[in-house]
Amino acid sequence: MANAHVICPTFFGQNIKNPNTSHILFGKILASDDQIVLDREERLMYEYLDSVKDDIGAFEKYKAWISLLNDAAQGKKLISSSLDSTRRQEVVVNTIYQAITTRDKSIIVHDTNCYSDFIDEINRQRINMFQLHDLSCEILRKKFTKVIGYSAFEEDLFWALHRTARMSKKSWTENDVNDLLREMIASMGRTNGYDVRDQAREGESQSKKGAGELDLIIENNGFLYTILEAMRLNGIDSGYIQSHYSKLLTNYNPLGVYRTYLISYYTGTNFDGWWAKYQKLITETHASDFTGVSSSHTEEVVCPMPKYHNLRHLQHLFRCFGKIYICTHFGINIGGGSD
């Protein structure tokens, strides 16, 4: 899976000077499908330049690397923000935190110990750290092998939703479909390192009067990893959809999980027409209506090409309290209507 990387300046300086490892920066990182994240304040670029200023050969390699990056295909270079950072490690961490991307995020580091002050949040946001020996492998190995990235989980989820759509019947209740989906995801989780719980008494109910039920909680390594909320629809009920989305983002997410999933079981007869209206609703509704936070705003709504004929999805990237969140919305067709 492609990643979005921030390269630590120490790693950059150490390896672009070394003829035995400079190919990692040009090949494994620059020539791959991965994104390279920089800050608009250009603190990272200053640090990269500072790391080679006393070495003419390294400076020439730096210029070549920057030139190739600037000439790369659109989307290769991703501009984020380092905010008001002053420390080198803080610049790196803030830049990856603020990156607006649906890819798994990572930091390429020379020494992981330099980031010990940030390790709790790095783990909570599922940001991987790669070192030189990880990049030397044919396939990137995760530094924290017990912490799974979201792209791997989403591959499992796509498969489970596709199979659920094929096997479900219109007459089934929402719980019947949830049960099937839970078993599909759980079977993948036993192999891939996460656990599934359903209808746990978590958070607050929509009325705020007591504990409510949520559909699926995913845990990884003993910690809350993500939340899946499901609803059954045969048309567009904006109030109902907003209520479920709000519940997912606020009532049942006290820890502020950064990536969540909202699934709609569509039972109508015009799946494509319904999904077009659903996309329009999410795109045109202000993010604050979902989060309850007036300063929230949408950064981007990504609408990828369908992977399966009975499954649609979009990714809603929004900012809340200065941080980036992503909710992936799925629509699965269990109504039997034609595409």
Side-chain angles (χ1 to χ4, degrees), residues 51-67:
S51 71
V52 300
K53 65 182 181 181
D54 298 324
D55 186 318
I56 294 176
F59 177 66
E60 292 300 320
K61 288 182 179 179
Y62 158 84
K63 289 195 297 182
W65 191 86
I66 294 299
S67 178

Side-chain angles (χ1 to χ4, degrees), residues 37-179:
V37 187
L38 300 172
D39 63 314
R40 66 176 57 92
E41 296 83 4
E42 298 190 342
R43 295 188 180 98
L44 283 171
M45 293 299 292
Y46 172 82
E47 293 284 354
Y48 296 159
L49 180 59
D50 188 61
S51 71
V52 300
K53 65 182 181 181
D54 298 324
D55 186 318
I56 294 176
F59 177 66
E60 292 300 320
K61 288 182 179 179
Y62 158 84
K63 289 195 297 182
W65 191 86
I66 294 299
S67 178
L68 289 170
L69 176 59
N70 289 335
D71 290 340
Q74 184 177 5
K76 177 68 177 181
K77 181 169 64 175
L78 179 63
I79 302 301
S80 179
S81 173
S82 56
L83 303 177
D84 56 354
S85 309
T86 54
R87 291 172 53 200
R88 173 177 285 187
Q89 289 78 19
E90 191 178 18
V91 169
V92 169
V93 169
N94 279 345
T95 300
I96 195 63
Y97 286 174
Q98 295 294 316
I100 301 172
T101 179
T102 59
R103 299 186 183 193
D104 283 350
K105 297 180 178 181
S106 67
I107 304 170
I108 298 176
V109 301
H110 177 68
D111 181 4
T112 57
N113 292 322
C114 293
Y115 292 87
S116 58
D117 290 347
F118 307 95
I119 198 64
D120 288 342
E121 187 66 9
I122 285 172
N123 279 332
R124 194 164 78 88
Q125 291 205 31
R126 307 292 163 173
I127 295 170
N128 281 295
M129 289 201 288
F130 297 121
Q131 292 180 284
L132 180 62
H133 62 82
D134 302 305
L135 298 167
S136 300
C137 300
E138 183 176 349
I139 300 175
L140 284 176
R141 294 180 300 171
K142 293 178 180 178
K143 187 66 183 175
F144 304 105
T145 55
K146 292 183 179 180
V147 177
I148 60 172
Y150 287 100
S151 58
F153 170 74
E154 286 178 6
E155 285 297 312
D156 291 351
L157 184 56
F158 268 110
W159 179 85
L161 288 169
H162 169 60
R163 293 292 299 170
T164 299
R166 291 185 60 185
M167 298 173 66
S168 299
K169 295 179 175 59
K170 186 175 180 178
S171 59
W172 286 15
T173 66
E174 184 175 319
N175 281 340
D176 290 334
V177 184
N178 281 343
D179 289 344

Side-chain angles (χ1 to χ4, degrees), residues 198-263:
D198 72 328
Q199 294 188 358
R201 305 298 289 185
E202 300 276 348
E204 298 176 278
S205 69
Q206 195 68 14
S207 66
K208 308 288 187 181
K209 293 180 179 179
E213 289 187 342
L214 90 94
D215 294 305
L216 294 175
I217 292 175
I218 309 297
E219 295 179 342
N220 170 229
N221 200 26
F223 296 95
L224 178 62
Y225 171 71
T226 192
I227 303 170
L228 286 72
E229 169 76 1
M231 54 185 170
R232 186 182 178 96
L233 295 169
N234 61 11
I236 296 296
D237 183 335
S238 58
Y240 183 73
I241 294 169
Q242 181 177 324
S243 173
H244 273 263
Y245 196 5
S246 176
K247 181 172 67 173
L248 173 64
L249 297 180
T250 57
N251 295 9
Y252 293 139
N253 193 2
L255 299 181
V257 175
Y258 289 92
R259 294 186 76 151
T260 53
Y261 301 88
L262 182 59
I263 301 164

Side-chain angles (χ1 to χ4, degrees), residues 187-207:
S187 67
M188 306 291 282
R190 284 189 285 270
T191 301
N192 295 331
Y194 52 87
D195 300 305
V196 180
R197 294 195 291 115
D198 72 328
Q199 294 188 358
R201 305 298 289 185
E202 300 276 348
E204 298 176 278
S205 69
Q206 195 68 14
S207 66

